[in-house]
Amino acid sequence: MDPVELLSTLGNKYNPEILQTTYEPKSAQELSEELDIPIATSYRRVEQLQELGLLEQEGKEFSDEGRQRKVYRRNVDEIVVELGNDDLDVDTTERTEAKNALNDVWSDLRG
């Protein structure tokens, strides 16, 4: 992953908030509503984060109106940026499947 591209993408308005809230699957519409983001911007930001591998499509669900929509979940738990004298290094910690399953169970219990 290119560190400069990653930092540039994380510096875009709304991207950090999208990553923070997608600890559980969310649609672009849900992100738009929860974070007060224009819907077109929500779709663009989701696409940017997917291109970098920070967000992935988790599956599909049905909205209250019965429409099928894609849901997205972040696939990283941590991003570490190290600034050196001559270089820039980025390290990510991927989200584990076990953690995903545990979060799903916990979300179901809370809901």
Side-chain angles (χ1 to χ4, degrees):
M1 181 178 312
D2 177 35
V4 174
E5 184 179 4
L6 174 68
L7 288 177
S8 177
T9 299
L10 290 177
N12 285 342
K13 190 172 184 180
Y14 307 121
N15 284 352
E17 292 89 348
I18 289 172
L19 285 176
Q20 186 175 10
T21 194
T22 53
Y23 61 90
E24 61 183 34
K26 304 276 173 118
S27 69
Q29 182 67 42
E30 288 172 311
L31 292 168
S32 173
E33 292 168 4
E34 282 183 35
L35 301 173
D36 198 27
I37 303 172
I39 188 65
T41 302
S42 181
Y43 279 107
R44 280 194 307 272
R45 298 300 189 249
V46 163
E47 186 177 319
Q48 285 177 339
L49 293 167
Q50 279 187 290
E51 287 174 2
L52 278 181
L54 300 175
L55 196 66
E56 63 185 20
Q57 183 180 332
E58 182 73 10
K60 295 182 180 180
E61 65 178 25
F62 288 95
S63 68
D64 294 338
E65 298 83 28
R67 295 185 191 137
Q68 193 174 38
R69 60 188 180 185
K70 297 175 184 177
V71 291
Y72 306 92
R73 179 184 274 185
R74 71 178 187 222
N75 61 2
V76 294
D77 280 331
E78 183 178 54
I79 300 171
V80 177
V81 178
E82 291 184 36
L83 304 172
N85 290 337
D86 296 326
D87 61 342
L88 178 64
D89 188 39
V90 173
D91 187 33
T92 58
T93 303
E94 290 189 17
R95 189 178 180 98
T96 64
E97 289 302 316
K99 195 168 198 175
N100 286 343
L102 183 58
N103 282 342
D104 290 343
V105 169
W106 188 248
S107 292
D108 288 346
L109 290 173
R110 288 189 314 192

